[in-house]
Amino acid sequence: MEQNDCVFCNIIERSIPAKIIYEDDDVLVVPDILPKAPVHMLVITKRHIPIVSSMTEADEPLFGKMIFIANKVAKDAEVDETGYRLSFNVGREGGQVVPHVHLHVLGGKQLSE
Ligand code: AMP
């Protein structure tokens, strides 16, 4: 169920503009608005799940799909051979700012840490 005050729900609902890199029934991929690398995309769940730690066993296929699609868009962005990072920020100390599950896809430069 979408949340009116959620930026990613608003992107999914087309209430705010974004370049859609990929979309299917389960996920949407957009460029990060403040990219931390030459390639920085977000694989966003269509369903409003606030935080990765709230996933249930029934969500296992969805999270597997997020990684599958992340690999696909990384290949399309031509960072598959040089490598890339997939990361979930979980909660405050994990650096999560937007409370709607998303997987970061970062590449196009040597990443530190
Ligand atoms: P996190 O810190 O894991 O919650 O990451 C949230 C990410 O969403 C940040 O990297 C933001 O730059 C990004 N972001 C916030 N608003 C938008 C937007 N409207 N379109 C694309 N990316 C966004």
Side-chain angles (χ1 to χ4, degrees):
M1 197 185 305
E2 80 269 13
Q3 309 262 311
N4 289 337
D5 57 348
C6 170
V7 62
F8 291 164
C9 286
N10 281 314
I11 288 175
I12 291 161
E13 293 297 311
R14 309 296 202 268
S15 303
I16 61 172
K19 180 182 168 221
I20 311 293
I21 294 170
Y22 173 89
E23 182 172 22
D24 64 27
D25 289 345
D26 303 309
V27 300
L28 187 79
V29 183
V30 297
D32 196 290
I33 205 166
L34 293 171
K36 293 187 173 62
V39 172
H40 189 174
M41 300 176 282
L42 302 171
V43 182
I44 301 169
T45 57
K46 283 253 178 111
R47 180 156 57 91
H48 182 86
I49 306 171
I51 185 167
V52 169
S53 54
S54 70
M55 78 177 280
T56 66
E57 201 170 348
D59 294 326
E60 275 186 25
L62 174 62
F63 280 74
K65 181 173 194 177
M66 290 178 83
I67 296 173
F68 184 80
I69 297 303
N71 288 337
K72 176 193 155 30
V73 294
K75 189 171 189 337
D76 292 345
E78 300 181 337
V79 293
D80 54 320
E81 290 190 7
T82 44
Y84 50 97
R85 178 173 296 165
L86 303 182
S87 63
F88 286 108
N89 294 332
V90 185
R92 184 168 45 84
E93 291 196 357
Q96 184 179 0
V97 174
V98 177
H100 180 133
V101 163
H102 53 281
L103 176 58
H104 292 262
V105 183
L106 292 141
K109 71 170 189 181
Q110 182 63 53
L111 299 164
S112 56
E113 278 185 48

